[in-house]
Amino acid sequence: MAHTLFTSRLGGVSSPPFDSFNLAAHVGDEPVAVTRNREILAAMIGLPRNRIFFMTQVHGNVVAVIDQNSDPEVAPPADALFTTLPGVALVTLIADCTPLLLKSEKAVAAVHIGRKGLVAEVLEATLKVFNEHGVSNQEITGEIGPSICSGCYEVDLDTYREVVSRNPAAATDETSRCLDVAGGVAARLKGAGIEFRRSDLCVRHTPGYFSYRRDEITGRQAGVVWL
Ligand SMILES: [Zn+2]
């Protein structure tokens, strides 16, 4: 059976501007605070700290498969983590991007999708790994966690057009030039025949969440999935 969790910025030990439940090691927060927060996360999900895997997110389409030989101290450069191992938690870290958790009886994945990942098709790359491990799209369900909303994510016109040309569901209008990345993810899930739930919380204008667009120097919340 698969489990999921989305964290907020509440419940950790980090000081401002990372207050308080920052789970990212790359944003300038005190390493000792991040370590403590990751221990708190481990306690929340009831797994040892060394059974929780993070990735070095690069806005690409690489899927890292976590197996018996994977080292929890190494965060592979990837934007999706996949495993068939029970008792192994996979983490996607976000401040504005869309956290997507995919689960089935036999395998789970944590995916990080911003506008670049949407264009790079990291979602499709992850589904391919499920399929290669004998899990069909019909056996997978998805959860889209809190991310930046379509009213808050303005980009330049070229970027807007590039993303929307391949992802019509990410469109708002060219006057606002705001992208609906989560809407684009939702449309692609629908197109792949995957049932999903979608949070309607915006991290930029909902208190209690980290938002890079709002604060620039800030922490990261997490989406976590495990069997
Ligand atoms: Zn918003």
Side-chain angles (χ1 to χ4, degrees):
M1 171 160 176
H3 309 269
T4 59
L5 172 75
F6 290 104
T7 67
S8 70
R9 68 188 294 166
L10 310 176
V13 301
S14 294
S15 302
F18 308 104
D19 52 311
S20 59
F21 198 17
N22 167 48
L23 291 159
H26 68 284
V27 293
D29 194 1
E30 290 290 337
V32 62
V34 177
T35 299
R36 179 69 195 122
N37 286 341
R38 289 182 173 188
E39 287 167 1
I40 292 170
L41 177 68
M44 282 169 80
I45 65 176
L47 289 173
R49 167 66 192 91
N50 66 3
R51 295 284 82 194
I52 303 178
F53 287 78
F54 294 81
M55 53 188 158
T56 301
Q57 298 167 180
V58 292
H59 297 280
N61 59 8
V62 171
V63 184
V65 176
I66 302 300
D67 61 23
Q68 308 280 8
N69 302 318
S70 300
D71 179 353
E73 296 304 320
V74 175
D79 286 278
L81 292 174
F82 172 93
T83 195
T84 59
L85 295 176
V88 165
L90 310 178
V91 179
T92 174
L93 295 174
I94 67 122
D96 288 327
C97 289
T98 301
L100 171 66
L101 304 177
L102 295 170
K103 51 188 181 160
S104 70
E105 291 297 315
K106 286 178 272 185
V108 292
V111 194
H112 164 253
I113 312 178
R115 61 177 170 79
K116 289 180 188 167
L118 191 61
V119 171
E121 304 196 342
V122 62
L123 167 56
E124 286 74 6
T126 310
L127 295 179
K128 191 164 168 254
V129 175
F130 272 95
N131 299 161
E132 286 166 356
H133 284 77
V135 180
S136 70
N137 287 8
Q138 288 66 39
E139 297 172 81
I140 304 170
T141 55
E143 289 187 33
I144 299 173
S147 64
I148 196 163
C149 82
S150 62
C152 284
Y153 190 43
E154 185 183 338
V155 295
D156 65 68
L157 190 56
D158 286 347
T159 302
Y160 180 86
R161 285 178 172 161
E162 187 208 350
V163 175
V164 166
S165 68
R166 300 213 233 166
N167 301 275
T172 55
D173 63 79
E174 288 201 352
T175 320
S176 73
R177 303 190 312 276
C178 280
L179 288 172
D180 183 3
V181 174
V185 173
R188 289 193 166 218
L189 286 172
K190 213 173 279 178
I194 292 170
E195 291 193 21
F196 61 94
R197 291 189 304 178
R198 178 183 175 183
S199 167
D200 56 5
L201 286 178
C202 170
V203 296
R204 188 173 184 182
H205 66 250
T206 307
Y209 289 92
F210 296 112
S211 170
Y212 179 80
R213 277 288 178 117
R214 185 187 58 221
D215 298 326
E216 215 152 306
I217 298 172
T218 191
R220 299 290 184 273
Q221 52 252 345
V224 191
V225 64
W226 70 101
L227 285 170

